[in-house]
Amino acid sequence: MVIGLGLAANAANNAMFNVNGNYDFKYIAVALATLAATLFFNMYFKGFLGLIPILLGIISGYLIALACGIVDTKLIADAAWLAMPNFEIPFVNYQPKLYIGAILTMAPIAFVTMTEHIGHLMVLNKLTKRNFFQDPGLSKTLTGDGVAQIVAGLLGGPPVTSYGENIGVLAITRVHSVFVIGGAAVLAILLGFVGKLSAIILSIPGPVISGISFVLFGVIAASGLKILIDNQIDFDRKRNLLIASVVLVVGIGGLVLKVGAFELSAMALATVFGIILNLILPEKARSEEN
């Protein structure tokens, strides 16, 4: 729930404010139109079209944004049809070096991605009705996450880790096959060499992404709520009520802990608080004891 609701403010801000940071009703209209289209495709399409409501929503929102004049088409016009991505090859383009200061600054972020990774797996377990903590095991999934980030960094790519948005897509499409996801990854790599397409993706305005995010982030939060309902969590018990209250407010409120270069984001901090409270709070408060 914290993962989904913690991202909600970003979606709302992108829907309200233009590139200059000013409130713009046109942006809100595009975001809501994109949301309406996505909901329509989810509810009324079936078969293959029923599996790609997010893509159809983005296309519809993009066309609406284009008609409203908030798409920068110059980037598309200037892009080449075929373009080589900017790869950074170790020992060819640069000589790898150890920057101890940078390592000490960035290393604590690993704890943030690890806690988010665990939260994502919990939601995936519920969506797919599998237990990824046991098979393939948390140690293997965390290793895969870490290796992917190392490879991306060595090749000059963006940070890669598990993303809540992708989990939202899995929940909506109900397509959970790793082969489908792997095929999509290969297709994405090939399309990365098409300069025009890359420019089109970069030109997708914020309100279109926001309209989609209203659904994706909401699905993540609702999936967390479903876990509580399915496990019949009793919130009449003070222990459960207090743990949930602290986790939700810390995570959604944006509380950040900074000690020198070490920093824990709200999502990671909420996870840590949840674990600690779960360990130290008694099963029953004294007022609940008979």
Side-chain angles (χ1 to χ4, degrees):
M1 290 176 66
V2 169
I3 292 170
L5 296 177
L7 294 169
N10 293 333
N13 288 332
N14 287 333
M16 292 188 294
F17 301 107
N18 58 26
V19 291
N20 297 319
N22 299 320
Y23 185 90
D24 196 326
F25 179 77
K26 186 187 296 184
Y27 272 53
I28 295 180
V30 171
L32 294 180
T34 304
L35 172 62
T38 305
L39 294 176
F40 175 81
F41 296 138
N42 267 288
M43 296 301 298
Y44 295 103
F45 279 21
K46 60 182 181 179
F48 174 72
L49 294 179
L51 296 176
I52 55 172
I54 301 300
L55 177 60
L56 294 176
I58 292 176
I59 293 173
S60 300
Y62 189 87
L63 294 176
I64 295 170
L66 196 61
C68 292
I70 61 175
V71 177
D72 183 8
T73 58
K74 185 178 184 303
L75 183 66
I76 303 173
D78 294 342
W81 279 102
L82 294 176
M84 179 68 70
N86 295 323
F87 291 105
E88 296 289 343
I89 310 299
F91 304 104
V92 176
N93 299 97
Y94 70 95
Q95 293 297 320
K97 296 180 180 179
L98 283 177
Y99 295 92
I100 303 300
I103 293 174
L104 293 176
T105 301
M106 297 296 293
I109 298 177
F111 293 100
V112 178
T113 56
M114 287 168 64
T115 52
E116 291 181 352
H117 179 101
I118 294 171
H120 292 164
L121 280 189
M122 291 180 64
V123 178
L124 283 175
N125 288 344
K126 181 60 62 175
L127 290 176
T128 61
K129 295 180 174 58
R130 293 177 57 184
N131 190 338
F132 293 106
F133 291 128
Q134 294 182 357
D135 184 18
L138 182 60
S139 60
K140 292 182 179 179
T141 60
L142 282 174
T143 300
D145 202 338
V147 170
Q149 295 188 55
I150 292 172
V151 173
L154 287 173
L155 298 180
V160 291
T161 182
S162 57
Y163 284 98
E165 295 89 333
N166 297 336
I167 297 174
V169 173
L170 293 178
I172 292 172
T173 62
R174 297 184 181 179
V175 176
H176 308 145
S177 171
V178 294
F179 297 104
V180 172
I181 296 172
V186 172
L187 181 61
I189 292 173
L190 296 176
L191 293 178
F193 291 88
V194 183
K196 290 288 186 184
L197 182 60
S198 297
I200 291 174
I201 294 174
L202 285 173
S203 69
I204 298 176
V208 174
I209 301 299
S210 295
I212 300 295
S213 298
F214 288 149
V215 177
L216 297 182
F217 298 161
V219 166
I220 298 169
S223 296
L225 180 60
K226 185 175 183 295
I227 292 175
L228 296 177
I229 295 173
D230 289 347
N231 287 275
Q232 299 180 338
I233 303 301
D234 183 7
F235 283 106
D236 284 331
R237 293 178 56 190
K238 287 187 177 181
R239 182 181 191 276
N240 296 338
L241 182 63
L242 291 175
I243 292 175
S245 300
V246 172
V247 169
L248 288 173
V249 173
V250 169
I252 300 171
L255 182 66
V256 176
L257 177 64
K258 291 184 179 181
V259 180
F262 180 81
E263 178 177 326
L264 275 181
S265 68
M267 201 175 300
L269 195 57
T271 304
V272 172
F273 279 2
I275 293 173
I276 293 174
L277 291 175
N278 183 64
L279 291 173
I280 66 175
L281 291 184
E283 287 298 319
K284 287 185 177 182
R286 288 189 176 180
S287 60
E288 295 174 322
E289 294 177 352
N290 294 326

